[in-house]
Amino acid sequence: LGAEHARAHARRRLAAAAAEEYPQASRTASLASLTASQARANRGFDPARDGRFTDYFPSPDFGVHTAQLPTGKVLLFSFERVQSNPLKETGPTDVVGPANAGRAYLWDPSRGTGPDAFTSVPPPSVVVPDGTGIARPAPFFCSGHAFLPNGMLAVFGGNNGGKGGSGATLSFVFDPWTETWYRNRDMVAGRWYPSVVTGADGRMLIMSGQSERGTGTPTPVVERFPSLGHPVPWLKTDVPRDVPTDRFWSTAPFRNDYPHLFSLRDGLIYGLGRDADQQWKFDPFTELRYRLPRRPGDYRNYGSAVPLPAGLRGPDSVLVLGGDPRDPNTYRLTGRQWTTEQPRAFGRTQDDTLIMPDGTLLTVNGALDTRDYGSGPFNPKADLAYRQTETRDARGSWRLGPAQRLPRGYHSNALVMPDGRVMVTGDELQQIANDPDITDEMDGSIELYEPAYLHRGSRPALDEVPEGTVRHGTGFSVTTSTPDQVRRAVLLAPTTVTHAVNTSQRHLDLLLTGIRGDTLTLVAPATPADAPPGYYMLFLLNDKGVPSTAKWVKLGRE
């Protein structure tokens, strides 16, 4: 009957067994308790000051990886469910054979929040070197990813299986325009938990990740995609197929995986490791590596990091936060200098911090430690504090906000949507522990947050933007039916995130040079170092910081 039919039967058998180990009544009661405690906790918050959580709905995927695509749809991908008891390891890290498989879905917000809003887009079938010779949808979970200039998402690595997991050499591109996956040539090194960033030239650097030999063997090899012998894909029709990587001259000897990578306004790539003494920058052109000063604080376990908005220019500093439950401080790197910035209310790991259209920062999700929400590992009970949002204003001060429904720690994710709302998902342990029907095919859940700016009156309108590519440093026009309301225009890069690593985030103000009738004249960021080529969400904001619904603008060359 085929491999997929067999997997479906296996999932049903798994669900039946899980109902005995961890009964549906426990899941239903847990979700009801979280729903009630969320309502109690949020009574004192004012939506116009703190925002509010609204929709909560099932998803067919755990959302270990998410990406806001330039079509407006959201890509979610992870792994097939191999365990339905949240008191056990919920991921297929150690699995060998066809159950070690990936899956992917598209959510179309324009179609609502029901099952019909989701479409399965499974990855290509592959045979991984696990000794079984059995093909399965590519196990590309715990990979690294970033956007190409043509809006496609490149994904590298994954899990070959075995004890502790081992790095796959897989390389794929997802084409959002045709909603199709394409396989490229395998990488030089296997990577399980790598990081990827897009530079000013449109090429990507791929670093770290556990090698084919398994956990505890992070690879120092740096690879570039596309290789220098292949062109950068600029157009929607430039689909990379069978394209190789090549080796970067310098190595990146991170002791731990998933370093934070950022391309800053000087055109260099900053690699900020989880170990305090492993902070480097890389020159994409000379291929040299330079050491940066030791970061304050100790080892960080999947905390977040954000390139701070810097007005009309690209970012020149990064804020590092979270990753240590004992340390609420935030640390800023500018040039070669670290400074300790204002702390959050408490320390947390596994958190996700987003740049919002108005330039503020929003933290969602978090835990005490991996699989530990404050009551011990593999215990779904959670401290309410880790469910609270936290917002950083323009002065750098933090404020606690409303609580999300589910605690979401390890494998949690969040992104800003074009309508200004925030999508929160991820953490398969909590999704399994609170599944309203463990026997159906809706394994995950999504919740939506409306930031405070959506509760401060009417929104300015953004009606038309250029259909073609906007070149750096050039003027371009947009139209609005509310020109008298517009005080600011900003670009916000779309998020693609996993394990609190979000290398694509970027926020830039645009110079507004004129208003004539319903036409605004704006100037694009000066250089690709300020804003790497690709698709951005363009928002217009009024004097209260209320954003329009965004439209997509492509920066770069034809």
Side-chain angles (χ1 to χ4, degrees):
L1 294 177
E4 180 51 41
H5 191 84
R7 278 192 290 271
H9 276 288
R11 288 195 295 270
R12 284 193 285 272
R13 289 195 300 270
L14 181 71
E20 298 180 5
E21 291 184 332
Y22 197 86
Q24 180 62 55
S26 297
R27 305 172 205 270
T28 303
S30 176
L31 182 58
S33 176
L34 290 172
T35 302
S37 63
Q38 179 192 33
R40 289 193 301 270
N42 292 347
R43 283 174 189 155
F45 289 102
D46 178 2
R49 183 189 61 192
D50 306 302
R52 68 173 183 177
F53 281 92
T54 56
D55 303 64
Y56 179 92
F57 54 97
S59 164
D61 191 67
F62 295 129
V64 174
H65 303 260
T66 61
Q68 174 61 66
L69 302 176
T71 59
K73 298 180 182 181
V74 177
L75 177 68
L76 306 98
F77 62 99
S78 61
F79 42 76
E80 292 287 359
R81 188 173 71 196
V82 297
Q83 175 57 256
S84 294
N85 184 345
L87 304 182
K88 298 179 179 180
E89 172 55 52
T90 47
T93 297
D94 299 333
V95 171
V96 174
N100 177 32
R103 65 182 182 188
Y105 289 85
L106 286 172
W107 173 46
D108 184 353
S110 70
R111 298 181 62 185
T113 59
D116 292 343
F118 295 90
T119 303
S120 175
V121 284
S125 183
V126 302
V127 176
V128 300
D130 61 1
T132 67
I134 301 174
R136 81 294 304 266
F140 57 0
F141 49 90
C142 298
S143 56
H145 33 89
F147 287 107
L148 288 161
N150 64 355
M152 297 180 187
L153 185 74
V155 178
F156 304 95
N159 179 28
N160 283 338
K163 186 167 179 57
S166 58
T169 57
L170 299 169
S171 173
F172 300 103
V173 163
F174 183 75
D175 180 348
W177 316 111
T178 63
E179 301 181 353
T180 305
W181 290 95
Y182 296 96
R183 187 172 181 180
N184 285 289
R185 294 188 208 173
D186 283 358
M187 294 182 291
V188 171
R191 299 181 189 272
W192 168 239
Y193 290 57
S195 296
V196 186
V197 68
T198 304
D201 62 353
R203 298 184 191 273
M204 299 173 168
L205 290 185
I206 310 158
M207 300 188 196
S208 193
Q210 308 298 330
S211 77
E212 301 97 318
R213 292 174 292 146
T215 296
T217 64
T219 180
V221 174
V222 179
E223 297 183 63
R224 176 172 38 212
F225 181 85
S227 67
L228 291 180
H230 288 75
V232 172
W234 297 102
L235 305 177
K236 294 178 181 179
T237 53
D238 295 338
V239 180
R241 307 185 206 195
D242 199 33
V243 173
T245 62
D246 59 8
R247 290 187 64 160
F248 197 74
W249 187 81
S250 292
T251 60
F254 291 105
R255 285 191 296 273
N256 284 281
D257 44 42
Y258 274 138
H260 291 284
L261 304 180
F262 297 104
S263 177
L264 298 188
R265 75 161 68 152
D266 57 7
L268 302 182
I269 303 298
Y270 286 71
L272 309 181
R274 293 200 273 156
D275 295 277
D277 64 335
Q278 294 209 296
Q279 316 295 315
W280 291 300
K281 61 182 178 180
F282 302 81
D283 188 322
F285 302 102
T286 66
E287 303 190 20
L288 296 176
R289 183 185 82 229
Y290 303 90
R291 181 171 292 279
L292 292 167
R294 181 186 179 93
R295 187 197 68 239
D298 295 321
Y299 173 79
R300 303 177 63 246
N301 183 22
Y302 298 121
S304 49
V306 177
L308 289 173
L312 300 173
R313 297 292 311 278
D316 64 354
S317 63
V318 174
L319 191 70
V320 175
L321 59 168
D324 184 347
R326 300 173 303 279
D327 185 0
N329 287 315
T330 63
Y331 302 105
R332 180 172 182 164
L333 174 67
T334 306
R336 291 186 50 81
Q337 182 175 356
W338 288 97
T339 55
T340 301
E341 303 293 303
Q342 296 186 49
R344 293 187 292 185
F346 53 87
R348 59 173 114 184
T349 72
Q350 327 296 330
D351 51 300
D352 294 276
T353 301
L354 298 168
I355 311 175
M356 307 303 288
D358 60 359
T360 60
L361 303 184
L362 173 72
T363 293
V364 297
N365 301 325
L368 179 70
D369 205 344
T370 304
R371 311 287 197 202
D372 187 342
Y373 310 86
S375 303
F378 294 99
N379 185 335
K381 295 180 180 179
D383 187 330
L384 177 65
Y386 297 122
R387 294 161 58 195
Q388 281 194 265
T389 61
E390 199 160 358
T391 301
R392 181 182 185 268
D393 63 22
R395 299 183 303 275
S397 298
W398 292 90
R399 177 186 178 86
L400 283 172
Q404 57 201 71
R405 186 162 306 179
L406 257 61
R408 298 181 190 263
Y410 192 50
H411 291 166
S412 65
N413 287 307
L415 54 80
V416 179
M417 300 163 60
D419 63 9
R421 293 181 297 171
V422 174
M423 184 192 94
V424 182
T425 190
D427 190 333
E428 73 279 2
L429 185 151
Q430 287 294 338
Q431 292 172 106
I432 288 171
N434 295 280
D435 193 327
D437 183 357
I438 196 62
T439 64
D440 68 11
E441 296 295 313
M442 302 297 277
D443 286 343
S445 63
I446 292 172
E447 44 198 309
L448 300 180
Y449 171 74
E450 293 178 347
Y453 53 56
L454 295 181
H455 297 273
R456 294 175 182 162
S458 62
R459 308 174 69 161
L462 176 57
D463 300 319
E464 295 183 0
V465 300
E467 292 185 1
T469 302
V470 175
R471 290 182 175 271
H472 290 86
T474 63
F476 65 100
S477 297
V478 303
T479 61
T480 171
S481 58
T482 58
D484 56 324
Q485 295 184 28
V486 178
R487 296 293 180 270
R488 191 177 177 192
V490 303
L491 293 180
L492 189 68
T495 280
T496 178
V497 60
T498 187
H499 292 75
V501 175
N502 188 338
T503 68
S504 67
Q505 285 200 94
R506 208 175 200 88
H507 180 286
L508 296 108
D509 280 88
L510 296 177
L511 182 63
L512 175 58
T513 58
I515 302 178
R516 187 171 182 177
D518 64 356
T519 301
L520 309 180
T521 304
L522 307 171
V523 178
T527 71
D530 290 300
Y535 284 83
Y536 290 78
M537 292 181 284
L538 171 59
F539 292 92
L540 302 180
L541 291 88
N542 66 17
D543 58 358
K544 296 179 181 179
V546 180
S548 65
T549 295
K551 290 189 178 296
W552 293 92
V553 171
K554 183 187 176 189
L555 290 181
R557 59 186 184 189
E558 298 293 347

